Amino acid sequence: MSIPQRPLLILAALALAAASFGLPGSAAAEVEKYAIDAAGGHASINFRIRHLNFGWVYGRFNTFSGTFTYDTEAAKNSSIELLIQTASVDSNQAERDKHLRNKDFLNVDKFPTATFKSTAYKEGLGSSELAGDLTLNGITKPISFQVEQLGNGPDPWGKYRRAFLGTAAIPLKEFGISDFGPTARNVELTFVIEGVRQ
Amino acid sequence: MRWRNTEDSYGVVSVALHWLMGFAVVGLFGLGVYMRSLTYADAWYLPGPYIHKSAGVLLFIVLAARLAWRFVSPPPRVPLTLTPLARRSAALVHVLFYVLLFAITLSGYLISTADGRPIEVFGWFAIPATVTSIPHQADLAGSVHLILAYCVMALAAVHALAALKHQFVDRDRTLLRMLGRGGLP
């Protein structure tokens, strides 16, 4: 009884496979995958922090990588993952950067990378909100970015790009990092995320 | 006392350079260790490194001048009472001092100029940056600077203990000679 049914089973399996992979316009095709264009210098991980009661110090992490997805049908399914090399901190002052890399601050020998993984995305008309887990100095905390969609479309060289601007303020102490006095308890992050669709 | 060294005694220039640099090296080491312990908003957080760097540049200049002076006016011969081993180790320690102090001052220069900024020397003049593209330059030069600074202090301890031993145990007037007094046995 079992022997004659085997070809039927195989046919059924083939038909299912064809339905799930071969047909155009299936739901999975709406999720666009992007590689962040760090190599081209069109994405950046920036920060700023107050210098006492005076100016702002702007800096960035020069070396990072990441990918994001964007679901054009259901934006809430979009996600992002970032991997930042903390030793690449650059505030345009070599001695300060050297100090920032030591154990009082970024502790880069022990924790050479920081990561951000999104957990939820809520798209609004003006600005959107991206929640996720930031791991910095070995400590993981949930943080939230205000996100602005900057633009999307074909570029002049045959690729399709999409870009966002995300801002967040994080309290340094919560990540085990010494702060810089009452005006500089928080560091403001500004991420420019431009990706090339894969 | 003469300016120049003679066959068996040190002149004013060598004596002054020796003690000036001795105190400068120990002082710079102390300031260096102290300023590394400071945190943001400490009173010495800014002036500490400023003085350390300025004095370090001056030390480099004096070091080069001292090396040049050895050729202009060679140091006196060593005491005849020294064993061959003592002669060789004294010579080695002196060479190591020069090597270490040049390496320490140059690595310090590479830390502070890693981003292309010059080093201001007490606001009198500035030393421009030259090498800026060694990977992780500030960190690498910083490690070299720190380790060699401890090495030179260890060497200074050996040097000082040896001088005290020669002065008070062997009684060969080594320390007095470095104060510009007395000839050689």
Side-chain angles (χ1 to χ4, degrees):
Chain A
M1 158 166 177
S2 62
I3 293 162
Q5 282 188 344
R6 196 158 283 170
L8 266 178
L9 276 171
I10 292 166
L11 267 179
L14 283 173
L16 267 173
S20 52
F21 297 115
L23 299 176
S26 68
E30 304 299 336
V31 179
E32 303 176 339
K33 288 187 171 149
Y34 290 85
I36 293 171
D37 189 13
H42 299 113
S44 53
I45 304 296
N46 309 283
F47 63 85
R48 70 171 191 171
I49 188 161
R50 280 298 294 277
H51 178 228
L52 306 172
N53 290 312
F54 312 118
W56 287 97
V57 172
Y58 282 77
R60 61 190 189 193
F61 291 92
N62 289 327
T63 311
F64 62 96
S65 59
T67 55
F68 65 86
T69 63
Y70 188 78
D71 190 330
T72 53
E73 294 285 287
K76 68 179 174 60
N77 294 331
S78 306
S79 65
I80 183 167
E81 279 194 24
L82 286 168
L83 179 71
I84 299 162
Q85 304 299 323
T86 50
S88 71
V89 65
D90 179 1
S91 69
N92 190 29
Q93 221 282 356
E95 288 163 335
R96 175 169 59 208
D97 294 341
K98 180 173 178 291
H99 197 187
L100 289 176
R101 284 189 283 267
N102 91 358
K103 60 182 170 18
D104 294 343
F105 305 105
L106 293 167
N107 207 1
V108 305
D109 285 341
K110 201 166 170 206
F111 302 111
T113 59
T115 59
F116 178 76
K117 289 189 173 73
S118 66
T119 51
Y121 181 55
K122 205 189 304 172
E123 193 163 86
L125 278 179
S127 82
S128 309
E129 197 181 322
L130 176 76
D133 293 323
L134 177 68
T135 303
L136 180 62
N137 193 22
I139 296 171
T140 303
K141 297 265 178 191
I143 68 166
S144 174
F145 281 94
Q146 288 300 116
V147 175
E148 183 190 336
Q149 296 202 51
L150 296 175
N152 62 284
D155 68 18
W157 313 286
K159 305 276 196 206
Y160 190 93
R161 288 171 184 265
R162 185 180 289 276
F164 300 88
L165 182 80
T167 53
I170 60 165
L172 289 168
K173 276 245 165 70
E174 286 193 15
F175 291 90
I177 297 172
S178 310
D179 65 34
F180 298 85
T183 59
R185 303 255 185 255
N186 294 338
V187 62
E188 294 182 17
L189 304 176
T190 302
F191 289 7
V192 179
I193 301 298
E194 179 177 311
V196 177
R197 194 167 70 189
Q198 302 299 291
Chain B
M1 236 178 113
R2 294 176 198 80
W3 290 106
R4 297 167 71 97
N5 304 326
T6 65
E7 173 79 356
D8 60 6
S9 70
Y10 282 107
V12 174
V13 174
S14 288
V15 169
L17 284 172
H18 172 267
W19 292 104
L20 174 73
M21 288 181 59
F23 285 111
V25 167
V26 175
L28 278 167
F29 177 79
L31 179 56
V33 170
Y34 173 65
M35 72 191 202
R36 275 171 51 83
S37 75
L38 298 176
T39 57
Y40 201 68
D42 281 329
W44 275 79
Y45 186 81
L46 277 189
Y50 179 74
I51 294 168
H52 185 88
K53 290 187 285 179
S54 297
V57 170
L58 298 182
L59 177 70
F60 175 84
I61 294 167
V62 176
L63 183 67
R66 187 172 174 186
L67 187 60
W69 183 251
R70 284 183 79 94
F71 294 98
V72 175
S73 174
R77 63 177 173 82
V78 293
L80 296 170
T81 50
L82 248 55
T83 63
L85 177 65
R87 279 162 204 267
R88 273 204 297 275
S89 44
L92 177 67
V93 167
H94 293 152
V95 170
L96 277 176
F97 266 127
Y98 279 99
V99 171
L100 282 173
L101 289 175
F102 274 116
I104 291 167
T105 46
L106 288 173
S107 58
Y109 165 79
L110 290 177
I111 305 171
S112 298
T113 55
D115 58 15
R117 283 183 176 77
I119 298 179
E120 283 289 336
V121 182
F122 292 120
W124 301 333
F125 59 96
I127 305 291
T130 47
V131 179
T132 56
S133 51
I134 300 170
H136 311 294
Q137 180 169 328
D139 301 81
L140 206 62
S143 300
V144 170
H145 193 72
L146 179 70
I147 292 163
L148 296 187
Y150 279 104
C151 291
V152 87
M153 291 318 288
L155 195 67
V158 169
H159 174 72
L161 287 172
L164 292 172
K165 185 234 179 208
H166 278 278
Q167 177 67 32
F168 297 110
V169 180
D170 303 336
R171 299 189 177 276
D172 59 9
R173 303 170 61 80
T174 295
L175 201 54
L176 282 179
R177 250 175 8 114
M178 206 63 248
L179 290 164
R181 285 196 267 149
L184 281 168

